[in-house]
Every structure is written in C-alpha cells, then in structure tokens.
Amino acid sequence: MAMILEIAAQGAQMGLVLALSPLLVGLTRKAKARLLRRRGPSLFQPYRDLLRLLRKETVLAENASWLFRSAPYLIFAATWVAAALIPTFATGLMFSWSGDLIAIAALLGSARFFLALAGMDVGTSFGGIGSSRETMFASFAEPATIMIVFTVSLIAGSTQLSEIAASTLSHYELRVSFGLALIALAIVAIAENGRIPVDNPATHLELTMVHEAMVLEYSGRHLAMIELASALKLLLYLSMIACIFAPWGMAPAGAGARALGLGALAYVAKMAVGGFLLAFFEISTAKMRVFRVPDFLGAALMLGLLGTLLLFVSRSL
C-alpha cells in the first residue's frame, strides 16, 4: 500500500506541473491586464491555444532536417522531466533522489541546445539571430546559476532539492547570502523565460525578439510542444524559488493523503502569488535593449559570487 501511495504521489507531481503550467501563463497575462485596467484574456486561453495548435496542420520548410522535426519533442521531454524533479507539494517522493540542482541545470541546458540548433536548421536570418542571442545570454546565465547552486548547497549541505527544502524548514534563519541567491535566481528566471525586461513574448519585433525568433518557422503540433515547454519552464523556475526559499506547507516524506492534499493547495497558492508578482514586475519596468542584457545577467553572476564568498568569509552572514 505504501508503494502504491508513493507511485501515485510521484505521478500526481508529474501531472500537476503539466496541468498547471498553461494556467500559470494565463494567470500572469490576466494579472497584467487587470493591473493595466484592461479586461484581458481568459485564464484558460493558453489551453485553448494549445488545442488549436494541435488540431492545425504542421507545415515544414523544404530544407528542414530531422533535427528540426524532433527538436520540439526533445525540448518538451527535457523540460518536463526537469520540472517534475522539483519538489512541489511534498518532499521525499519516489524520484526525489534525482532532484539535483546540477541535473536540472543540465536538462535545461540540453533543451536550450536543441532549441538553438533548431533555430539555425532551416537557415533563416531570424532563426540565426535568435539562436545567437540565446547562446550569448546563456553564457552569462549558466555561470550565474552555478554560483547560485554553490551558495544554496553550501548553506544546506546538499544539491538535492528535497534536502535543501528540509534544511530551510528546520534551520530557517535570515542570511545575507540566502537573500543574494534569491535575487540572483529571480534575475536568471526572468532572463531564461524571456520575460520583460529581457524579452517580450507578446511581441514580434525583429530587432529585440529572442525566443520568438527561433520558433517562427514552427507550426501545428510542433509549436504546441514548444509553447507547452515554455510554460513548463516558467513554472519550473517559480517552483524552484518556492522550494528553496519558501518551502512552507510542503508535506514531509511519508505523509498521508491529507497532508499531500494540503501541500498541493499550498503549492497552488504559492504559484498564484509568484505569477502575480511576475505580472506586477513586468508592468513596472520597461523592455531593455539587447546589448544591456549581459549587464543584467552580470548582476546575477556577481550576486551569486558575492553570496558564495560571504559564506567562506563568515558562516554567520
């Protein structure tokens, strides 16, 4: 019976992140519209968009290779696995041993690698521009991520997210290094998801777009896979921030069905708060120029590095 409950909890974890990711995108769009005193689209519009894309015919460029056709599925699979490894409503699930920060960063790096290759595969100028910009941003975002992982793992004594969440719950205290890591991770999350001020997913301006430039040639079910992977990535980063810095409400390992249900409710509430804060931040700032993005990500790298150095200088900071 215990084994069945563990399998069911792990399956619920994987299904929850997949089901909630389009709703988070819809919530963010709705919150932005309401904050700007507009009515905005329905919360469920991303689900309708995905269904519409799945019903449409897939059109491929004549010179598209096997990589262009298979990349959407590879990107979706890598992103879904990474999102499913992050503890959402409970710690100590069946696959929690594999929920390692370095493994998750590697999965996201693989997804970005395939997306950049797919953007260059058909040989259009937009795809090449988007891929080169994505690669340039990644060269700043990945070192910053490594610094954040160092800071968090030095505090918790592990790179596994379940142990980090358990450590935060049992030994929570205000630390300068922890706060620096939180700000750095928020900056990386904004850049990695192509949100304002780094990119604007709602526009198609050729001088500024990054992610949209790489997926312009996709249509039908291929575009649906990429859009769903993009929504999963946004949920992944908000889940990671909640797991590391605000793990309250999560069910402990071996908890019963009632504790798991309460943990799921707490997780949904945290995602709603995260989506609203993201929308509030996006309407409060303006889109920056492309050549300013390295400075923005450089700040995350410096904050992560400063947090790591502070831990070595004084364990009390």
Side-chain angles (χ1 to χ4, degrees), residues 294-314:
D295 297 337
F296 185 65
L297 285 170
L301 176 60
M302 288 299 105
L303 288 172
L305 180 61
L306 185 60
T308 306
L309 292 176
L310 281 175
L311 283 173
F312 282 109
V313 173
S314 172

Side-chain angles (χ1 to χ4, degrees), residues 184-209:
L185 184 56
I187 293 174
V188 171
I190 290 170
E192 290 280 25
N193 286 283
R195 310 297 303 193
I196 297 173
V198 174
D199 194 7
N200 188 355
T203 64
H204 289 77
L205 298 175
E206 65 273 16
L207 293 178
T208 59
M209 62 183 178

Side-chain angles (χ1 to χ4, degrees), residues 110-287:
S110 302
R112 180 192 297 111
F113 173 71
F114 286 118
L115 183 60
L117 287 183
M120 295 185 291
D121 186 73
V122 293
T124 62
S125 56
F126 282 139
I129 290 173
S131 298
S132 62
R133 287 174 177 172
E134 178 76 10
T135 307
M136 180 185 69
F137 296 164
S139 64
F140 290 94
E142 291 184 353
T145 304
I146 295 299
M147 287 296 107
I148 296 166
V149 171
F150 282 164
T151 304
V152 173
S153 59
L154 284 172
I155 294 173
S158 174
T159 57
Q160 289 192 354
L161 283 167
S162 286
E163 296 187 14
I164 293 171
S167 173
T168 305
L169 284 172
S170 58
H171 304 97
Y172 186 80
E173 57 182 331
L174 293 176
R175 286 174 176 267
V176 176
S177 302
F178 218 46
L180 295 176
L182 171 60
I183 298 171
L185 184 56
I187 293 174
V188 171
I190 290 170
E192 290 280 25
N193 286 283
R195 310 297 303 193
I196 297 173
V198 174
D199 194 7
N200 188 355
T203 64
H204 289 77
L205 298 175
E206 65 273 16
L207 293 178
T208 59
M209 62 183 178
V210 181
H211 175 79
E212 295 299 322
M214 291 185 289
V215 303
L216 273 180
E217 296 297 323
Y218 278 112
S219 60
R221 64 179 184 278
H222 290 161
L223 185 57
M225 290 292 103
I226 290 177
E227 292 296 330
L228 186 53
S230 177
L232 276 168
K233 193 174 182 181
L234 178 61
L235 184 79
L236 181 154
Y237 272 98
L238 290 184
S239 301
M240 190 185 300
I241 292 173
C243 173
I244 296 174
F245 301 100
W248 302 286
M250 296 174 69
R258 184 173 180 275
L260 293 175
L262 292 175
L265 290 177
Y267 172 69
V268 172
K270 284 187 277 189
M271 291 302 99
V273 172
F276 178 80
L277 292 177
L278 176 62
F280 183 76
F281 176 77
E282 286 191 320
I283 66 161
S284 305
T285 187
K287 169 80 175 63

Side-chain angles (χ1 to χ4, degrees), residues 72-124:
Y73 303 102
L74 295 172
I75 294 166
F76 170 73
T79 310
W80 189 20
V81 170
L85 292 180
I86 295 177
T88 55
F89 59 87
T91 60
L93 295 179
M94 179 173 284
F95 296 155
S96 62
W97 58 271
S98 56
D100 189 278
L101 276 171
I102 297 175
I104 291 169
L107 284 168
L108 293 177
S110 302
R112 180 192 297 111
F113 173 71
F114 286 118
L115 183 60
L117 287 183
M120 295 185 291
D121 186 73
V122 293
T124 62

Side-chain angles (χ1 to χ4, degrees), residues 10-61:
Q10 187 63 60
Q13 157 98 350
M14 299 183 70
L16 184 65
V17 295
L18 187 63
L20 278 185
S21 54
L23 184 61
L24 176 63
V25 175
L27 174 67
T28 306
R29 292 175 182 171
K30 188 74 173 180
K32 286 175 66 176
R34 299 301 294 177
L35 289 170
L36 294 171
R37 297 189 176 184
R38 293 189 284 109
R39 185 173 182 180
S42 167
L43 288 175
F44 303 102
Q45 188 60 43
Y47 296 100
R48 299 190 186 110
D49 293 340
L50 290 174
L51 290 175
R52 176 175 52 82
L53 289 173
L54 288 173
R55 287 196 293 263
K56 279 192 171 183
E57 181 185 1
T58 299
V59 180
L60 294 171

